[in-house]
Amino acid sequence: MEPLELLIRNTSEVLTVEGSHREPAERALTPQPRASVGVRGGRVAWVGPEERLPPGAVDAATQVLDAGGMFVGPGFVDPHTHLVFAGERASEFDLRCQGATYLQIAQAGGGIVSTVRATRAASEEELIQWALPRLQRLLEYGVTTAEVKSGYGLDLENELKMLRVVRRLGQLTPVELVPTLLCAHAVPEEYKGRREAYVELCVQEILPAVAQEGLACFCDIFVEQSAFTPDEARRLLLAAKALGLRPRLHGDQLTSGGGAELAAELGAATVDHLEHVSEAGIRALAEANVTAVLVPTSTLFLRMRPYAPGRRLRDAGVNVALGTNVNPGSAMTENLPLAMGLACLENGLTAAEAYWAATRGAALALNLPSHGRLAVGDKADLVIFSCSNHQHVPYHLGVNHARTVLKSGRVVARMGTANCSS
């Protein structure tokens, strides 16, 4: 065997996460007790007992990392973030704590449109400098791949600006970024009372420009009484599919608006939020193999009930993923382990299901078949944790247990510090 460049040894277990969401999650995590992980060329080259390593696998040049009897698993994949933005909305948080609702804040001129004003006024360089610390925190929590949405530009110039920032950030940080166009996040102030005209702008100008520059993999839309209708979403997402952008939806968050059923109809990659999903919607998602992305940090942050029915979704056979939804208004946190703990406490998932949802389940949501697992030949995106089993991650609520983070076989973060240079 050609010598390994890196060997991780002395683990309690290695979770390779090579199973399916349709089997019990403990089995789907495919744990290998006391296994070692070998890396060569930035990819997993060996997983198994160290005593079974072939002759010549380890030589004087092999870097050895001692896991200290703790567990190793794939790097987290965050499938839902809004981490490129300007400004902050701490005053809205204070109002919410005093009893104001999401809709009341938006009707008073706050909410998404306030972030749009700040983001439009910011330069690309400013947006990059403000986003880098957020990416650093994601990395320190063990996130090696993250989806990033636009949606705070809401016109051609600024949606393109945001997505160009995402592309540049992907060149500046070890975190692999997956860009999503979310031009239909809200109706901008200049189109107030003319929502159909704004949808027309998205379809006729923004979508083609984004596709021409290759700036996004997905197209998302917020389907809600206060945002866009199912018919408007259908029109936008069919146009996106024709241009090669796979559909995603924010759906059934504040009301039961048929978002899940529409996602199934369109063959969307995901429908996200789902606090008010119907039983018919759950069945439709399972039949259409659409991933449900849950963001319980947002439900907590907005002081809302109910939480999305993660238990019913899993039991119906739906692939469930977990995201931070990091954004300035409804989930100002980069803490994915907190989302995992909340998913167990409030969405009804087990610890194994939460771990699946933050790794393999999220990777499948982003159409990344070789991410979120540690099979031989996959990218060596992995985390050495400071606890001996995956159950401790959601149990020790919101605490960061990512001791060492590797991206493509390179150490990019250690407990308390991260390296966000390329």
Side-chain angles (χ1 to χ4, degrees):
M1 183 180 189
E2 186 179 349
L4 299 169
E5 296 168 5
L6 173 73
L7 178 68
I8 300 172
R9 60 174 304 277
N10 189 23
T11 73
S12 60
E13 65 179 358
V14 175
L15 302 182
T16 61
V17 199
E18 295 179 83
S20 163
H21 72 276
R22 298 187 185 279
E23 62 183 321
E26 289 282 355
R27 187 187 309 158
L29 297 187
T30 52
Q32 295 200 28
R34 296 177 295 281
S36 297
V37 181
V39 177
R40 187 190 310 109
R43 296 187 176 274
V44 177
W46 165 267
V47 181
E50 186 175 348
E51 60 269 21
R52 294 186 187 174
L53 274 168
V58 179
D59 65 10
T62 303
Q63 178 186 4
V64 177
L65 293 179
D66 190 324
M70 303 303 171
F71 90 95
V72 172
F76 292 137
V77 178
D78 191 337
H80 187 128
T81 84
H82 303 255
L83 62 82
V84 174
F85 60 86
E88 52 86 30
R89 284 153 59 185
S91 60
E92 293 181 15
F93 178 82
D94 195 43
L95 288 171
R96 189 175 300 114
C97 292
Q98 297 175 51
T101 68
Y102 181 93
L103 289 177
Q104 286 170 339
I105 290 170
Q107 289 166 356
I112 292 168
V113 294
S114 66
T115 300
V116 171
R117 295 185 208 111
T119 303
R120 286 179 174 182
S123 68
E124 285 192 21
E125 291 301 324
E126 288 172 325
L127 291 174
I128 288 168
Q129 292 308 309
W130 293 327
L132 279 171
R134 300 170 197 137
L135 273 168
Q136 182 178 21
R137 285 187 284 272
L138 281 175
L139 183 64
E140 289 180 335
Y141 278 114
V143 174
T144 53
T145 302
E147 182 259 13
V148 186
K149 303 178 191 296
S150 64
Y152 294 127
L154 305 189
D155 63 19
L156 176 60
E157 175 187 355
N158 287 289
E159 286 293 300
L160 291 175
K161 177 178 73 175
M162 288 191 70
L163 290 170
R164 288 170 185 149
V165 165
V166 175
R167 181 168 60 189
R168 289 182 60 191
L169 285 168
Q171 298 164 354
L172 295 171
T173 172
V175 182
E176 186 175 344
L177 302 182
V178 179
T180 293
L181 171 67
L182 181 57
C183 55
H185 195 191
V187 179
E189 290 178 300
E190 64 271 22
Y191 277 86
K192 188 174 182 179
R194 298 188 299 128
R195 193 177 63 204
E196 292 182 2
Y198 182 65
V199 173
E200 185 74 10
L201 175 72
C202 290
V203 171
Q204 297 298 331
E205 296 187 31
I206 298 177
L207 263 174
V210 168
Q212 185 175 4
E213 286 196 42
L215 289 172
C217 301
F218 298 94
C219 180
D220 201 343
I221 183 169
F222 188 13
V223 180
E224 189 55 68
Q225 290 179 2
S226 59
F228 297 91
T229 69
D231 285 343
E232 289 163 344
R234 185 179 292 105
R235 182 177 179 221
L236 178 75
L237 295 178
L238 286 174
K241 284 183 75 170
L243 292 169
L245 278 66
R246 193 167 179 195
R248 298 186 64 174
L249 287 82
H250 286 54
D252 298 325
Q253 179 187 7
L254 306 176
T255 59
S256 182
E261 292 89 337
L262 179 61
E265 173 195 328
L266 297 175
T270 75
V271 57
D272 304 32
H273 286 286
L274 293 173
E275 287 87 342
H276 294 274
V277 65
S278 68
E279 290 301 319
I282 292 174
R283 292 193 299 271
L285 294 179
E287 291 170 3
N289 198 28
V290 176
T291 294
V293 178
L294 310 187
V295 286
T297 47
S298 189
T299 318
L300 174 71
F301 203 90
L302 292 174
R303 305 181 72 194
M304 297 178 67
R305 290 292 188 277
Y307 280 75
R311 176 78 275 129
R312 300 207 309 274
L313 287 159
R314 278 282 313 196
D315 289 348
V318 178
N319 179 43
V320 173
L322 281 174
T324 60
N325 192 25
V326 55
N327 76 83
S330 64
M332 193 57 198
T333 181
E334 298 89 349
N335 192 333
L336 190 55
L338 173 60
M340 294 169 68
L342 289 171
C344 295
L345 292 167
E346 299 287 358
N347 297 117
L349 301 187
T350 67
E353 288 166 346
Y355 193 88
W356 165 276
T359 54
R360 187 68 176 153
L364 294 175
L366 297 180
N367 194 30
L368 298 173
S370 64
H371 289 58
R373 67 180 185 185
L374 296 178
V376 171
D378 288 343
K379 277 188 176 182
D381 298 351
L382 55 89
V383 179
I384 302 172
F385 290 89
S386 61
C387 46
S388 61
N389 64 74
H390 69 274
Q391 292 176 326
H392 200 87
V393 177
Y395 154 71
H396 200 166
L397 191 64
V399 172
N400 184 10
H401 289 288
R403 193 180 86 188
T404 306
V405 183
L406 291 87
K407 179 67 179 177
S408 298
R410 182 171 67 92
V411 174
V412 291
R414 296 187 187 274
M415 180 67 85
T417 62
N419 175 12
C420 271
S421 61
S422 56

